[in-house]
Coordinates of all heavy atoms in Angstrom, one line a residue:
M1 N 31.3 17.7 -39.1 CA 32.4 17.3 -40.0 C 32.6 18.2 -41.2 O 31.6 18.5 -41.9 CB 32.2 15.8 -40.4 CG 33.4 15.3 -41.1 SD 33.2 13.5 -41.5 CE 33.4 13.8 -43.3
L2 N 33.8 18.5 -41.4 CA 34.1 19.4 -42.6 C 34.0 18.5 -43.9 O 34.2 17.4 -43.8 CB 35.5 19.9 -42.5 CG 35.8 21.1 -41.6 CD1 37.3 21.4 -41.6 CD2 35.1 22.3 -42.1
T3 N 33.7 19.2 -44.9 CA 33.6 18.5 -46.2 C 34.9 18.9 -47.0 O 35.6 19.8 -46.6 CB 32.4 19.0 -47.1 OG1 32.6 20.3 -47.3 CG2 31.1 18.6 -46.4
L4 N 35.2 18.2 -48.0 CA 36.3 18.5 -48.9 C 36.2 19.9 -49.4 O 37.2 20.6 -49.4 CB 36.3 17.4 -50.1 CG 37.7 16.9 -50.6 CD1 38.6 16.6 -49.4 CD2 37.5 15.8 -51.5
S5 N 35.0 20.3 -49.8 CA 34.8 21.6 -50.4 C 35.2 22.7 -49.3 O 35.9 23.6 -49.7 CB 33.3 21.8 -50.8 OG 32.9 20.8 -51.6
M6 N 34.7 22.5 -48.1 CA 35.0 23.5 -47.1 C 36.5 23.6 -46.8 O 37.0 24.7 -46.6 CB 34.2 23.1 -45.8 CG 32.7 23.3 -45.9 SD 31.8 22.4 -44.6 CE 32.3 23.3 -43.2
E7 N 37.2 22.4 -46.8 CA 38.6 22.4 -46.6 C 39.3 23.2 -47.7 O 40.2 24.0 -47.5 CB 39.1 21.0 -46.5 CG 40.5 20.9 -46.0 CD 40.8 21.5 -44.7 OE1 40.0 21.3 -43.7 OE2 41.9 22.1 -44.5
I8 N 38.9 22.9 -49.0 CA 39.5 23.5 -50.1 C 39.3 25.1 -50.1 O 40.3 25.8 -50.3 CB 39.0 22.9 -51.4 CG1 39.5 21.5 -51.6 CG2 39.4 23.8 -52.7 CD1 38.9 20.7 -52.7
E9 N 38.1 25.5 -49.7 CA 37.8 26.9 -49.7 C 38.7 27.6 -48.7 O 39.0 28.8 -48.8 CB 36.3 27.1 -49.4 CG 35.5 26.8 -50.6 CD 34.0 26.7 -50.4 OE1 33.6 27.1 -49.2 OE2 33.3 26.4 -51.3
K10 N 39.1 26.9 -47.6 CA 40.0 27.5 -46.6 C 41.4 27.8 -47.1 O 42.0 28.8 -46.7 CB 40.2 26.6 -45.4 CG 39.0 26.5 -44.5 CD 39.2 25.8 -43.2 CE 40.2 24.8 -43.1 NZ 40.1 23.9 -41.8
H11 N 41.8 27.1 -48.2 CA 43.2 27.2 -48.7 C 43.3 28.0 -50.0 O 44.4 28.4 -50.3 CB 43.8 25.8 -48.8 CG 43.8 25.0 -47.6 ND1 44.7 25.4 -46.5 CD2 43.1 24.0 -47.1 CE1 44.5 24.6 -45.5 NE2 43.6 23.7 -45.8
I12 N 42.2 28.2 -50.7 CA 42.3 28.9 -52.0 C 42.0 30.4 -51.7 O 41.0 30.7 -51.0 CB 41.2 28.3 -53.0 CG1 41.6 26.9 -53.3 CG2 41.2 29.2 -54.2 CD1 40.7 26.3 -54.4
K13 N 42.9 31.2 -52.2 CA 42.9 32.6 -51.9 C 41.7 33.3 -52.6 O 41.0 34.1 -52.0 CB 44.2 33.3 -52.3 CG 45.3 32.9 -51.4 CD 46.6 33.5 -51.9 CE 47.8 33.0 -51.1 NZ 48.3 31.7 -51.4
K14 N 41.5 33.0 -53.9 CA 40.4 33.7 -54.6 C 39.6 32.7 -55.4 O 40.2 32.2 -56.4 CB 41.1 34.8 -55.5 CG 40.0 35.7 -56.1 CD 40.8 36.7 -56.9 CE 39.8 37.5 -57.8 NZ 40.4 38.2 -58.9
L15 N 38.4 32.4 -55.0 CA 37.6 31.5 -55.7 C 36.5 32.2 -56.4 O 35.7 32.9 -55.7 CB 37.0 30.5 -54.7 CG 36.7 29.1 -55.2 CD1 37.8 28.5 -55.9 CD2 36.3 28.2 -54.1
V16 N 36.5 32.2 -57.7 CA 35.5 33.0 -58.5 C 34.2 32.2 -58.6 O 33.1 32.7 -58.5 CB 36.1 33.3 -59.9 CG1 35.1 34.2 -60.7 CG2 37.4 34.1 -59.8
N17 N 34.3 30.9 -59.0 CA 33.1 30.1 -59.2 C 32.9 29.1 -58.1 O 33.9 28.8 -57.4 CB 33.2 29.3 -60.5 CG 33.4 30.3 -61.7 OD1 32.5 31.1 -61.9 ND2 34.3 30.0 -62.6
P18 N 31.7 28.6 -57.9 CA 31.5 27.6 -56.9 C 32.2 26.3 -57.2 O 32.4 26.0 -58.4 CB 30.0 27.4 -56.8 CG 29.4 28.0 -58.1 CD 30.5 29.0 -58.6
L19 N 32.5 25.5 -56.2 CA 33.1 24.2 -56.4 C 32.1 23.2 -56.9 O 30.9 23.3 -56.6 CB 33.8 23.8 -55.1 CG 35.0 24.6 -54.6 CD1 35.3 24.1 -53.2 CD2 36.2 24.4 -55.5
K20 N 32.6 22.2 -57.5 CA 31.8 21.1 -58.0 C 31.2 20.3 -56.8 O 31.7 20.6 -55.7 CB 32.6 20.1 -58.8 CG 33.1 20.7 -60.1 CD 33.9 19.6 -60.9 CE 34.3 20.2 -62.2 NZ 35.2 19.2 -62.9
D21 N 30.3 19.5 -56.9 CA 29.8 18.7 -55.8 C 30.9 17.7 -55.4 O 31.8 17.5 -56.1 CB 28.5 18.0 -56.1 CG 28.6 16.9 -57.2 OD1 29.4 15.9 -56.9 OD2 28.1 17.0 -58.3
E22 N 30.7 17.2 -54.2 CA 31.8 16.4 -53.6 C 32.3 15.3 -54.5 O 33.5 15.1 -54.6 CB 31.3 15.8 -52.2 CG 31.2 16.8 -51.1 CD 32.4 17.3 -50.6 OE1 33.3 16.5 -50.1 OE2 32.6 18.5 -50.5
D23 N 31.5 14.5 -55.1 CA 31.9 13.4 -56.0 C 32.7 13.9 -57.2 O 33.8 13.4 -57.4 CB 30.7 12.5 -56.4 CG 30.1 11.8 -55.3 OD1 30.7 11.6 -54.3 OD2 28.9 11.5 -55.4
A24 N 32.2 14.9 -57.9 CA 32.9 15.4 -59.0 C 34.2 16.1 -58.6 O 35.2 16.0 -59.3 CB 32.0 16.4 -59.7
L25 N 34.2 16.7 -57.5 CA 35.4 17.3 -56.9 C 36.5 16.3 -56.6 O 37.6 16.5 -57.0 CB 35.0 18.1 -55.6 CG 36.0 19.0 -54.9 CD1 36.4 20.1 -55.9 CD2 35.4 19.6 -53.7
L26 N 36.1 15.2 -56.1 CA 37.0 14.1 -55.7 C 37.6 13.6 -57.0 O 38.8 13.4 -57.1 CB 36.3 13.1 -55.0 CG 37.2 12.1 -54.2 CD1 38.2 12.8 -53.3 CD2 36.3 11.1 -53.4
E27 N 36.8 13.4 -58.0 CA 37.3 12.9 -59.3 C 38.3 13.8 -60.0 O 39.3 13.4 -60.4 CB 36.1 12.6 -60.3 CG 35.3 11.4 -60.0 CD 36.1 10.2 -59.8 OE1 36.9 9.8 -60.7 OE2 36.0 9.5 -58.7
S28 N 38.0 15.1 -59.9 CA 38.9 16.1 -60.5 C 40.2 16.2 -59.7 O 41.3 16.2 -60.3 CB 38.3 17.5 -60.4 OG 37.2 17.6 -61.2
L29 N 40.1 16.1 -58.4 CA 41.3 16.1 -57.5 C 42.2 14.9 -57.7 O 43.5 15.0 -57.7 CB 41.0 16.3 -56.1 CG 40.4 17.6 -55.7 CD1 39.8 17.6 -54.3 CD2 41.4 18.7 -55.8
K30 N 41.6 13.7 -58.0 CA 42.4 12.5 -58.2 C 43.3 12.6 -59.4 O 44.3 12.1 -59.5 CB 41.4 11.3 -58.4 CG 40.9 10.7 -57.1 CD 40.0 9.5 -57.4 CE 39.3 9.0 -56.2 NZ 38.3 8.0 -56.5
I31 N 42.8 13.4 -60.4 CA 43.6 13.6 -61.6 C 44.7 14.6 -61.4 O 45.8 14.5 -61.9 CB 42.7 14.1 -62.8 CG1 41.6 13.0 -63.1 CG2 43.5 14.5 -64.0 CD1 40.5 13.5 -64.0
K32 N 44.4 15.7 -60.6 CA 45.3 16.8 -60.4 C 46.4 16.6 -59.3 O 47.4 17.3 -59.3 CB 44.6 18.1 -60.2 CG 43.6 18.4 -61.4 CD 44.4 18.8 -62.6 CE 43.6 19.3 -63.8 NZ 44.3 19.6 -65.0
L33 N 46.1 15.9 -58.3 CA 46.9 15.8 -57.1 C 47.6 14.4 -57.1 O 47.1 13.4 -57.6 CB 46.1 16.0 -55.8 CG 45.3 17.3 -55.7 CD1 44.6 17.3 -54.4 CD2 46.3 18.5 -55.7
T34 N 48.7 14.3 -56.3 CA 49.3 13.0 -56.1 C 48.4 12.3 -55.1 O 47.7 12.9 -54.3 CB 50.7 13.2 -55.6 OG1 50.7 13.8 -54.3 CG2 51.6 14.0 -56.5
K35 N 48.7 11.0 -54.9 CA 47.9 10.2 -53.9 C 48.1 10.8 -52.5 O 47.2 10.9 -51.7 CB 48.3 8.8 -54.0 CG 47.7 8.0 -55.2 CD 48.1 6.6 -55.2 CE 47.5 5.9 -56.4 NZ 48.2 4.7 -56.8
K36 N 49.4 11.1 -52.2 CA 49.7 11.6 -50.9 C 49.0 12.9 -50.6 O 48.5 13.2 -49.6 CB 51.2 11.8 -50.7 CG 51.8 10.5 -50.1 CD 53.2 10.7 -49.5 CE 53.7 9.4 -48.9 NZ 55.1 9.4 -48.6
E37 N 49.0 13.9 -51.6 CA 48.4 15.2 -51.5 C 46.9 15.0 -51.3 O 46.3 15.7 -50.4 CB 48.7 16.0 -52.8 CG 50.1 16.5 -52.9 CD 50.4 17.0 -54.3 OE1 49.7 16.8 -55.2 OE2 51.4 17.7 -54.4
L38 N 46.3 14.1 -52.0 CA 44.9 13.8 -51.8 C 44.5 13.3 -50.5 O 43.6 13.7 -49.8 CB 44.3 12.9 -52.9 CG 42.8 12.7 -53.0 CD1 42.1 14.1 -53.2 CD2 42.5 11.8 -54.1
K39 N 45.4 12.4 -50.0 CA 45.2 11.8 -48.6 C 45.3 12.9 -47.6 O 44.6 12.9 -46.6 CB 46.2 10.7 -48.4 CG 45.8 9.4 -49.1 CD 46.8 8.3 -48.8 CE 46.5 7.0 -49.5 NZ 47.5 6.0 -49.5
L40 N 46.3 13.8 -47.8 CA 46.5 14.8 -46.8 C 45.3 15.8 -46.8 O 44.8 16.2 -45.7 CB 47.8 15.6 -47.2 CG 48.1 16.8 -46.4 CD1 48.3 16.4 -44.9 CD2 49.4 17.5 -46.9
L41 N 44.8 16.1 -48.0 CA 43.6 17.0 -48.0 C 42.4 16.4 -47.4 O 41.7 17.0 -46.6 CB 43.3 17.3 -49.5 CG 42.2 18.3 -49.8 CD1 42.5 19.7 -49.2 CD2 42.0 18.5 -51.3
K42 N 42.2 15.1 -47.6 CA 41.1 14.4 -47.0 C 41.3 14.4 -45.5 O 40.3 14.5 -44.7 CB 41.0 12.9 -47.5 CG 40.4 12.8 -48.9 CD 40.4 11.3 -49.2 CE 39.9 11.1 -50.6 NZ 39.9 9.6 -50.9
A43 N 42.5 14.1 -45.0 CA 42.8 14.1 -43.6 C 42.5 15.4 -43.0 O 41.9 15.5 -41.8 CB 44.2 13.7 -43.3
W44 N 42.9 16.5 -43.6 CA 42.5 17.8 -43.1 C 41.0 18.0 -43.0 O 40.5 18.5 -42.0 CB 43.1 18.9 -44.1 CG 44.6 19.1 -44.0 CD1 45.4 18.6 -43.1 CD2 45.4 19.9 -44.9 NE1 46.7 19.0 -43.4 CE2 46.7 19.8 -44.5 CE3 45.1 20.6 -46.1 CZ2 47.8 20.4 -45.1 CZ3 46.1 21.2 -46.7 CH2 47.4 21.1 -46.3
A45 N 40.3 17.6 -44.1 CA 38.8 17.8 -44.1 C 38.2 16.9 -43.0 O 37.2 17.4 -42.4 CB 38.3 17.3 -45.4
E46 N 38.8 15.8 -42.6 CA 38.2 15.0 -41.6 C 38.7 15.4 -40.2 O 38.2 14.8 -39.2 CB 38.6 13.5 -41.8 CG 37.9 12.9 -43.0 CD 38.6 11.7 -43.6 OE1 39.6 11.2 -42.9 OE2 38.2 11.2 -44.6
G47 N 39.6 16.4 -40.1 CA 40.1 16.9 -38.9 C 41.0 15.9 -38.1 O 41.1 15.9 -37.0
T48 N 41.7 15.1 -39.0 CA 42.6 14.1 -38.4 C 43.8 14.8 -37.8 O 44.3 15.8 -38.3 CB 43.1 13.2 -39.5 OG1 42.0 12.7 -40.2 CG2 44.0 12.0 -38.9
D49 N 44.2 14.3 -36.6 CA 45.4 14.9 -35.9 C 46.6 14.8 -36.7 O 46.9 13.8 -37.5 CB 45.6 14.0 -34.6 CG 46.8 14.5 -33.8 OD1 46.7 15.7 -33.3 OD2 47.8 13.8 -33.7
I50 N 47.4 15.9 -36.7 CA 48.6 16.0 -37.5 C 49.6 14.8 -37.3 O 50.1 14.3 -38.3 CB 49.4 17.3 -37.2 CG1 48.6 18.5 -37.8 CG2 50.8 17.3 -37.8 CD1 49.2 19.9 -37.5
N51 N 49.8 14.4 -36.1 CA 50.7 13.3 -35.8 C 50.2 12.0 -36.5 O 51.0 11.2 -37.0 CB 50.9 13.1 -34.3 CG 51.6 14.3 -33.7 OD1 52.4 14.9 -34.3 ND2 51.2 14.6 -32.4
E52 N 48.9 11.8 -36.4 CA 48.3 10.7 -37.0 C 48.5 10.7 -38.6 O 48.8 9.7 -39.2 CB 46.8 10.6 -36.7 CG 46.2 9.3 -36.8 CD 44.7 9.2 -36.4 OE1 44.4 9.8 -35.3 OE2 43.9 8.7 -37.2
V53 N 48.3 11.9 -39.1 CA 48.5 12.0 -40.6 C 49.9 11.8 -41.0 O 50.1 11.0 -41.9 CB 48.1 13.5 -41.0 CG1 48.4 13.7 -42.5 CG2 46.6 13.8 -40.7
Q54 N 50.9 12.3 -40.2 CA 52.2 12.0 -40.5 C 52.6 10.5 -40.5 O 53.3 10.0 -41.3 CB 53.2 12.8 -39.5 CG 53.2 14.3 -39.7 CD 54.0 15.0 -38.7 OE1 54.0 14.7 -37.5 NE2 54.6 16.1 -39.1
T55 N 52.0 9.8 -39.5 CA 52.2 8.4 -39.4 C 51.6 7.7 -40.6 O 52.2 6.8 -41.2 CB 51.6 7.8 -38.1 OG1 52.1 8.6 -37.0 CG2 51.8 6.4 -37.9
Q56 N 50.3 8.0 -40.9 CA 49.6 7.3 -42.0 C 50.3 7.5 -43.3 O 50.4 6.6 -44.1 CB 48.2 8.0 -42.1 CG 47.2 7.5 -41.1 CD 45.9 8.2 -41.2 OE1 45.7 9.2 -42.1 NE2 44.9 7.9 -40.4
L57 N 50.8 8.7 -43.6 CA 51.5 9.0 -44.8 C 53.0 8.8 -44.8 O 53.7 9.1 -45.7 CB 51.2 10.5 -45.3 CG 49.7 10.8 -45.5 CD1 49.6 12.2 -45.9 CD2 49.1 9.9 -46.5
N58 N 53.5 8.3 -43.6 CA 54.9 8.1 -43.5 C 55.8 9.3 -43.7 O 56.7 9.3 -44.5 CB 55.3 6.9 -44.4 CG 56.7 6.3 -43.9 OD1 57.1 6.5 -42.9 ND2 57.3 5.6 -44.9
L59 N 55.4 10.4 -43.1 CA 56.1 11.7 -43.2 C 56.7 12.1 -42.0 O 56.1 12.0 -40.9 CB 55.2 12.8 -43.7 CG 54.4 12.5 -45.0 CD1 53.3 13.5 -45.2 CD2 55.3 12.6 -46.2
D60 N 57.9 12.7 -42.0 CA 58.5 13.4 -40.9 C 57.9 14.8 -40.9 O 57.3 15.2 -41.9 CB 60.0 13.3 -40.8 CG 60.7 14.0 -42.0 OD1 60.1 14.9 -42.7 OD2 61.8 13.5 -42.4
E61 N 58.3 15.6 -39.9 CA 57.7 17.0 -39.8 C 58.1 17.8 -41.0 O 57.3 18.5 -41.6 CB 58.3 17.6 -38.5 CG 57.1 18.1 -37.6 CD 57.7 18.6 -36.3 OE1 57.8 17.8 -35.4 OE2 57.8 19.8 -36.3
E62 N 59.3 17.7 -41.4 CA 59.8 18.5 -42.6 C 59.1 18.1 -43.9 O 58.6 19.0 -44.6 CB 61.3 18.3 -42.8 CG 61.9 19.2 -43.8 CD 63.4 19.0 -44.0 OE1 64.1 18.3 -43.2 OE2 63.9 19.4 -45.1
R63 N 58.9 16.8 -44.2 CA 58.2 16.4 -45.4 C 56.7 16.8 -45.3 O 56.1 17.1 -46.3 CB 58.4 14.9 -45.5 CG 59.7 14.4 -46.0 CD 60.0 14.6 -47.5 NE 59.0 13.9 -48.3 CZ 58.3 14.4 -49.3 NH1 58.5 15.7 -49.6 NH2 57.5 13.7 -50.0
Y64 N 56.2 16.7 -44.1 CA 54.7 17.1 -43.9 C 54.6 18.5 -44.3 O 53.7 18.9 -45.0 CB 54.3 16.8 -42.5 CG 52.9 17.3 -42.2 CD1 51.8 16.5 -42.5 CD2 52.7 18.5 -41.6 CE1 50.5 17.0 -42.3 CE2 51.4 19.0 -41.3 CZ 50.3 18.2 -41.7 OH 49.1 18.6 -41.5
G65 N 55.5 19.4 -43.8 CA 55.5 20.8 -44.1 C 55.6 21.1 -45.6 O 54.9 21.9 -46.2
E66 N 56.5 20.4 -46.2 CA 56.7 20.5 -47.7 C 55.5 20.1 -48.4 O 55.1 20.8 -49.4 CB 58.0 19.7 -48.1 CG 59.3 20.2 -47.7 CD 60.4 19.2 -47.9 OE1 60.2 18.1 -48.5 OE2 61.6 19.5 -47.5
L67 N 55.0 19.0 -48.1 CA 53.8 18.5 -48.8 C 52.6 19.4 -48.6 O 51.9 19.7 -49.5 CB 53.4 17.0 -48.3 CG 52.3 16.3 -49.0 CD1 52.7 16.0 -50.4 CD2 51.9 15.0 -48.3
S68 N 52.4 19.9 -47.4 CA 51.3 20.8 -47.1 C 51.5 22.1 -48.0 O 50.5 22.5 -48.6 CB 51.3 21.2 -45.6 OG 51.2 20.1 -44.8
A69 N 52.6 22.6 -48.0 CA 52.9 23.9 -48.8 C 52.7 23.6 -50.3 O 52.0 24.4 -51.0 CB 54.3 24.3 -48.5
K70 N 53.1 22.5 -50.7 CA 53.0 22.1 -52.2 C 51.5 22.0 -52.5 O 51.0 22.4 -53.6 CB 53.7 20.8 -52.4 CG 53.9 20.5 -53.9 CD 54.9 19.3 -54.0 CE 54.6 18.6 -55.3 NZ 55.2 17.3 -55.3
L71 N 50.8 21.3 -51.6 CA 49.3 21.1 -51.9 C 48.6 22.4 -51.9 O 47.8 22.6 -52.8 CB 48.8 20.2 -50.7 CG 47.2 20.0 -50.7 CD1 46.7 19.4 -52.0 CD2 46.9 19.1 -49.5
I72 N 48.8 23.3 -50.9 CA 48.1 24.6 -50.9 C 48.5 25.4 -52.2 O 47.6 26.0 -52.8 CB 48.5 25.4 -49.6 CG1 47.8 24.6 -48.5 CG2 48.0 26.8 -49.7 CD1 48.2 25.1 -47.1
K73 N 49.8 25.4 -52.6 CA 50.2 26.1 -53.8 C 49.5 25.5 -55.0 O 49.0 26.3 -55.9 CB 51.7 25.9 -53.9 CG 52.3 26.8 -55.0 CD 53.8 26.6 -55.0 CE 54.4 27.4 -56.1 NZ 55.9 27.2 -56.3
K74 N 49.4 24.2 -55.1 CA 48.6 23.6 -56.2 C 47.2 24.0 -56.2 O 46.6 24.2 -57.3 CB 48.7 22.0 -56.1 CG 49.8 21.4 -56.9 CD 49.6 19.9 -56.9 CE 50.7 19.2 -57.7 NZ 50.5 17.7 -57.7
L75 N 46.5 24.0 -55.1 CA 45.1 24.3 -55.0 C 44.9 25.8 -55.5 O 43.8 26.1 -56.0 CB 44.6 24.2 -53.6 CG 44.4 22.8 -53.1 CD1 44.0 22.8 -51.6 CD2 43.5 21.9 -53.9
N76 N 45.9 26.6 -55.5 CA 45.7 28.0 -55.9 C 46.2 28.2 -57.3 O 46.1 29.3 -57.8 CB 46.6 28.9 -55.0 CG 45.8 29.2 -53.7 OD1 44.8 29.9 -53.7 ND2 46.2 28.5 -52.6
Q77 N 46.5 27.1 -58.1 CA 46.9 27.3 -59.5 C 45.6 27.4 -60.3 O 44.6 26.7 -60.0 CB 47.7 26.1 -60.0 CG 49.1 26.0 -59.4 CD 49.8 24.7 -59.8 OE1 49.2 23.8 -60.3 NE2 51.1 24.7 -59.6
E78 N 45.6 28.3 -61.3 CA 44.4 28.5 -62.1 C 43.9 27.2 -62.8 O 42.7 26.9 -62.8 CB 44.8 29.5 -63.3 CG 44.7 31.0 -62.8 CD 43.4 31.3 -62.0 OE1 42.3 31.0 -62.5 OE2 43.5 31.9 -60.9
K79 N 44.8 26.3 -63.3 CA 44.4 25.1 -63.9 C 43.6 24.2 -63.0 O 42.6 23.6 -63.4 CB 45.6 24.4 -64.4 CG 46.1 24.8 -65.8 CD 47.1 23.8 -66.4 CE 48.4 23.9 -65.7 NZ 49.5 23.1 -66.4
I80 N 44.1 24.2 -61.8 CA 43.4 23.3 -60.8 C 42.0 24.0 -60.4 O 41.0 23.3 -60.3 CB 44.3 23.0 -59.6 CG1 45.4 22.1 -60.0 CG2 43.5 22.4 -58.4 CD1 46.2 21.4 -59.0
K81 N 42.1 25.3 -60.2 CA 40.8 25.9 -59.8 C 39.8 25.7 -60.9 O 38.6 25.4 -60.6 CB 41.0 27.5 -59.7 CG 41.7 27.8 -58.3 CD 41.6 29.3 -58.1 CE 42.8 29.9 -57.7 NZ 42.7 31.4 -57.5
Q82 N 40.2 25.8 -62.2 CA 39.2 25.6 -63.3 C 38.7 24.1 -63.3 O 37.5 23.9 -63.5 CB 39.9 25.8 -64.6 CG 40.1 27.3 -64.9 CD 41.0 27.5 -66.1 OE1 41.5 26.6 -66.8 NE2 41.2 28.8 -66.4
A83 N 39.6 23.2 -62.9 CA 39.2 21.8 -62.9 C 38.2 21.5 -61.7 O 37.4 20.6 -61.9 CB 40.4 20.9 -62.8
I84 N 38.3 22.2 -60.6 CA 37.5 21.8 -59.5 C 36.2 22.7 -59.3 O 35.4 22.5 -58.5 CB 38.2 21.8 -58.1 CG1 38.9 23.2 -57.8 CG2 39.3 20.8 -58.2 CD1 39.6 23.3 -56.5
C85 N 36.1 23.7 -60.2 CA 34.9 24.6 -60.1 C 33.9 24.3 -61.2 O 34.3 23.7 -62.2 CB 35.4 26.1 -60.3 SG 36.3 26.7 -58.8
I86 N 32.7 24.7 -61.0 CA 31.6 24.5 -62.0 C 31.9 25.3 -63.2 O 32.3 26.4 -63.1 CB 30.2 24.8 -61.3 CG1 30.0 23.9 -60.2 CG2 29.2 24.7 -62.4 CD1 28.8 24.3 -59.3

């Protein structure tokens, strides 16, 4: 099973410092991301099927795409990188 850290590392282009441990990482992400973004990230980390994720989060394909793009963009912002790294 993938961890949150592994999932985040897949989406961040340039990570200078190591990520915090899972619990601290989750706390930082709760502050920086919306509930839906966090649920989406967790679903990716758990390898949940896309259709299932769309159903759980009540998203159509277009909204799912928008949310995914927004989440990845957020993860690459310097402020968020600083918050989730040691």
Side-chain angles (χ1 to χ4, degrees):
M1 188 180 117
L2 281 174
T3 63
L4 216 45
S5 305
M6 291 163 69
E7 189 61 38
I8 289 170
E9 285 169 6
K10 286 192 329 197
H11 300 290
I12 294 182
K13 291 175 183 78
K14 188 179 169 197
L15 205 54
V16 182
N17 298 311
L19 292 170
K20 294 178 177 177
D21 67 65
E22 289 287 305
D23 293 337
L25 189 57
L26 197 54
E27 286 308 307
S28 299
L29 290 170
K30 279 181 185 173
I31 296 166
K32 298 291 182 185
L33 303 178
T34 66
K35 284 180 183 159
K36 269 195 177 169
E37 289 167 343
L38 187 58
K39 283 180 183 171
L40 178 59
L41 185 60
K42 283 182 182 175
W44 286 349
E46 291 162 4
T48 309
D49 180 66
I50 288 177
N51 295 328
E52 203 177 310
V53 176
Q54 288 176 325
T55 305
Q56 284 174 357
L57 298 180
N58 195 20
L59 301 168
D60 59 27
E61 236 173 275
E62 187 182 340
R63 286 281 301 129
Y64 175 82
E66 289 169 2
L67 188 66
S68 300
K70 192 172 154 195
L71 173 57
I72 291 169
K73 190 176 176 185
K74 262 191 183 179
L75 289 174
N76 280 287
Q77 290 174 348
E78 280 309 312
K79 276 193 285 188
I80 291 198
K81 282 195 225 178
Q82 287 171 359
I84 61 177
C85 289
I86 296 170

